[in-house]
Amino acid sequence: MRAFQKVAEKIRLDIENGVWRIGDTLSSERQMAQQYQVSRSTIRRAWEELETMGYIKWDAFSPPQVINVPQWPTAIARSSLTQWNQAQTKPVSSFLSDLMSAATSQARFNFEIGMPDASLLPIFELESVIRELFTQRTREVFSYSPTAGIDRVREAIAEEFLGRRNLHLSPDHLLITSGSLQALDLLSSLWIRPGDIVITESPTFAGALQIFRAHGAQIIGIDVGTEGVNPAQMKDALSRHDTRLIYLQPYYQNPTSVSMSEATRQALLDLAISYHVPIIEDDAYGFLAPGHSLPLRAYKGAEEHVIYINTFSKILAPGLRVGLIAGPPDLIYQLTQIKQLGDLHTGTVSQLLVEGWLRSGNIDQYIQAVRKVYAERIQTAKQLLPQLGFPIWGNPHNGFYVFAELPRSLSALAFHQYAAKRDVLFAPGLAFGTDDQFRHWIRLCVSTANPMAIHTGLARLSRLVKAYTDTPGSFGL
Ligand SMILES: Cc1ncc(COP(=O)(O)O)c(C=O)c1O
């Protein structure tokens, strides 16, 4: 355990034992540093940890306040806590659930959540699909359906969606999941045991890190360069660690929108094959790639080494909660057995809506259009941020996000609260790292803002950074 975690643990126990109560203000940073014989930055890290766990709330201007003291009044509550603590190597953070609150926020500049722009959706096609479903197929729409996914939906996904990604699979290679987060959770349930090593890019999708950690994985991060992760670093990590799995996003990765070069993809696959380590390939943003580009799963020799996951959350609508896993039928069968315990099947209405949209005959036109729009938005943000004094990661050409660096001594987590009260939302970088190196970085989702809104919103962000860092006592919080 690192120093800040030890301090956070002591404060947590004090809160649970009633030393601090809801509404109490904790001692100042200086007093706590003296009390625990650590630096003030360690105290701030401990506060951040406690904030992530939901015990305290704090901002740049005042010491933290206790906002939640978990109560364990019953045997059930107490034993869940004990079991939970034994199972977890790290407390589960609230990153994803916090992000979901941002989805419905009315903030004027919401760069926090990664979503497609609803105003680009083919509303007429979707309307006619919905009308047909609700008037002519009412019984089917409101019925239970098979756990692995409705057959005709799996067929449509195989032909119309994966076919366009140059993957040619039969429907029995597919499991329809409730979003690709469920795909990650199912695969983790099957494969990860506490202490197992998982290698990921760093930075990478915070939700994946959250799930792997919740299953007890130890994460090894490999730096994302301009062409994706460096194969030499991957080789070094594989040769030093007995690795359970590798998680990669070869195209427009979240949060940097960097894509891997062809050579990198091939080299990483070769390494996975020679070290016998499966890769989970997350292709959430692959639809933005040129038509001829290949996911790893389409490479020669990948069938037995790459499990492919994807989602309709970025191409269509995240509220549908439709994702998928493509893998060998035996694995799909095992995952289906686990899925039945959780939600029985993915929503029938959502699946049929996806099928109707895929078969509408218009999706090529739509994909071409959104590729162009998102590329323009990324270009706008990519040019503007460095001009405003914020370097960005890599050189993205398309995607939903830019990953930007704020002044080094600023905590993006604390600044997030300050900016949110002033109408600007972003995702703090800490959640995307396998360690704490991104605490002064932020992820900005620009897919939902037009270039004008990007200009105005980023200029406002820049003024807020300046005002925040000029406020006495706030810098470095
Ligand atoms: C890379 C990546 N994978 C998976 C997901 C999860 O998407 P969903 O569960 O909505 O399918 C996201 C969402 O941000 C993502 O960026």
Side-chain angles (χ1 to χ4, degrees), residues 367-433:
I367 292 173
Q368 291 299 341
V370 295
R371 264 186 207 152
K372 217 166 136 229
V373 172
Y374 295 144
E376 190 191 3
R377 293 176 181 182
I378 284 284
Q379 289 304 324
T380 308
K382 184 167 94 173
Q383 275 166 15
L384 203 58
L385 281 160
Q387 287 168 16
L388 293 168
F390 308 125
I392 69 155
W393 191 288
N395 180 23
H397 299 291
N398 209 332
F400 278 31
Y401 314 102
V402 279
F403 202 47
E405 187 176 14
L406 300 184
R408 184 165 278 279
S409 48
L410 182 148
S411 155
L413 209 54
F415 175 59
H416 175 259
Q417 294 186 7
Y418 174 91
K421 287 184 195 140
R422 291 157 183 82
D423 252 357
V424 178
L425 295 180
F426 53 79
L430 194 61
F432 300 89

Side-chain angles (χ1 to χ4, degrees), residues 114 179-181 205 247 249 254 282 284-285 311 313-314 318 321 401:
S180 49
L181 277 171
F205 172 44
Y247 168 75
Q249 300 174 63
N254 179 359
D282 187 339
Y285 305 92
T311 176
S313 292
K314 311 298 170 182
R321 311 304 305 131
Y401 314 102

